Amino acid sequence: MFLNALLWVVYCYLTFWMLYFLFFGIVGHFRKSRPVGRSWSATFLVLIPAYKEDDVIVDSVVSAVNHSYPNDMYDVVVVADSLLSETLDRLREIPVEVLEVSFDNSTKSRSINAALAAIRNDYDAVVVLDADNHMASDFLSKMATKCNRGAKAIQGHRIAKSIGSKMALLDAVSEEVNNHIFRLGHREVGLSSALAGSGMVFEYSLFKEVMAQVEAVGGFDRELELRLIEQGIRIDYVPDAYIFDEKVATHDAFRHQRRRWFAAQYHYLGRYARSGVKALFKGHIDYADKVLQGAQVSRLLLPGLLVAFGTVAAIFALSPSWVFWAISLAGSVVALLIAIPARFYNRFLVGAMVEIPTTFVSMLLLHFTLKGANKTFIHTKHGQDDGKPESRQKAPYCN
């Protein structure tokens, strides 16, 4: 009886998230074409925090300063934390404003707050990029249009720069699934888009005010979105405003990145759970939904867990029967498949699927190594791949 009761609890938990992903995956396809248009009437501060990112920062800054938006309407500031002296010299030759910072415990939020405290100019909006990000040529003009229409917080569409390995392809697919479910699907029903950590645009004064309260070691974007939504700020999403982002190319980089993400997810679930329940009873659905997302099971882990528990139920004739688990498994697979853009369905994806079992085990084991992960900054280094030229391909691009 105890095992049956336990399996029912696990089944209900996993099936709830299957239905959650499936619902938002479906409504994400109901989006009608709504061109944002272009404007050149907003001023931007483009902030690029860079911690030990010597391999990629120069190319990213060159791309940013050569953006098609009018040069007198935006400034690029690199927040340089632990960059090599030769990298700093190259940056100043571009030229670009470089703000050097140093902390006993480096975090993205501390770098951003240091920059906001040092900058004296005023802007309409601030753009936050990662050190490896490149903006599409029309990114700022589309964001200017959104800002002029009153949007205070906006997430752009992060898309892979290139695919350098099977792991990078899986990471790119994972991000597109997130884009479809947690950004596009959520906006279609009037809820806030999730923030991605970069490719984000905020009203400048609002961002300074909210960031002053953020002290996250990991997952600063999760704390930022919770604080914004708690204030009633709706986070918008522009699916055709692209940010080209480098994907993790090795298992080690993947593990480091996901360990940081999992630690932040559970940390903020515990921190905001009570306020999320209160918000639900007060009708603040947007905030309650955002807190609830901290309890989600990973999209990659979900099918594997359903298979594992369903097999146990079948072998030991436990309840719920394997038929229930099979139905939920089918739903979870459909939820993933409909959230993957059609352009990814090719032979490369089929080849990358051999990495899924190893990745599943790795992600499952990560849950036993999270202690202290949210108290120490875990850096994911960019500019690496698997070293196999034959595995590289151009990223599928969405026009």
Side-chain angles (χ1 to χ4, degrees), residues 8 15 20 62 65 80 87 110 125 137 178-179 192 200-201 238 260 269 277 282 285 288 341 367 372 384 394-395:
W8 270 110
T15 300
Y20 185 96
V62 169
V65 299
T87 303
R110 287 176 180 170
S137 60
N178 287 341
N179 286 333
S192 283
M200 308 178 295
V201 178
V238 185
R260 184 179 76 244
L269 173 63
V277 173
K282 292 180 180 179
I285 303 301
H367 286 76
Q384 298 176 319
K394 184 177 179 181

Side-chain angles (χ1 to χ4, degrees), residues 150-389:
K152 296 179 179 296
I154 316 163
Q155 175 63 55
H157 185 162
R158 291 204 318 188
I159 190 170
K161 279 185 193 174
S162 61
I163 305 301
S165 69
K166 293 175 181 177
M167 281 305 304
L169 177 55
L170 289 181
D171 192 27
V173 170
S174 176
E175 175 127 47
E176 289 296 354
V177 170
N178 287 341
N179 286 333
H180 187 88
I181 293 174
F182 293 102
R183 298 182 180 101
L184 191 58
H186 272 68
R187 290 303 297 132
E188 285 305 301
V189 296
L191 296 174
S192 283
S193 162
L195 293 177
S198 69
M200 308 178 295
V201 178
F202 306 96
E203 182 185 78
Y204 186 69
S205 58
L206 173 67
F207 187 65
K208 288 188 69 172
E209 176 188 340
V210 176
M211 276 304 301
Q213 308 167 37
V214 175
E215 296 182 353
V217 175
F220 100 101
D221 50 314
R222 187 171 292 271
E223 181 175 356
L224 181 58
E225 66 186 10
L226 283 164
R227 289 187 178 276
L228 287 168
I229 296 172
E230 188 176 27
Q231 295 181 26
I233 305 297
R234 195 62 52 89
I235 302 173
D236 211 336
Y237 176 58
V238 185
D240 61 347
Y242 295 102
I243 289 288
F244 298 100
D245 178 67
E246 183 176 312
K247 314 317 294 178
V248 296
T250 66
H251 280 284
D252 284 343
F254 182 87
R255 284 192 294 269
H256 276 82
Q257 184 188 70
R258 262 49 179 189
R259 182 169 181 253
R260 184 179 76 244
W261 289 2
F262 286 144
Q265 174 184 331
Y266 300 134
H267 170 77
Y268 290 112
L269 173 63
R271 182 174 173 181
Y272 288 94
R274 181 175 299 180
S275 62
V277 173
K278 291 180 180 178
L280 179 62
F281 286 104
K282 292 180 180 179
H284 194 346
I285 303 301
D286 199 17
Y287 182 72
D289 173 72
K290 187 57 60 180
V291 175
L292 176 65
Q293 289 174 20
Q296 69 178 280
V297 62
S298 166
R299 273 76 61 211
L300 181 60
L301 286 179
L302 180 58
L305 291 174
L306 287 167
V307 169
F309 282 104
T311 301
V312 170
I315 292 174
F316 296 100
L318 296 172
S319 181
S321 74
W322 65 270
V323 176
F324 287 83
W325 297 96
I327 293 172
S328 293
L329 173 62
S332 70
V333 172
V334 170
L336 288 175
L337 292 178
I338 64 176
I340 299 174
R343 66 185 183 277
F344 278 99
Y345 285 103
N346 55 41
R347 62 186 179 87
F348 297 106
L349 181 60
V350 175
M353 291 177 67
V354 300
E355 300 288 339
I356 291 179
T358 302
T359 306
F360 170 81
V361 174
S362 178
M363 291 181 67
L364 192 61
L365 294 177
L366 281 178
H367 286 76
F368 301 97
T369 66
L370 298 182
K371 186 176 181 179
N374 206 57
K375 297 180 181 179
T376 304
F377 180 61
I378 303 174
H379 175 55
T380 303
K381 186 174 177 59
H382 298 101
Q384 298 176 319
D385 61 25
D386 63 354
K388 301 175 183 177

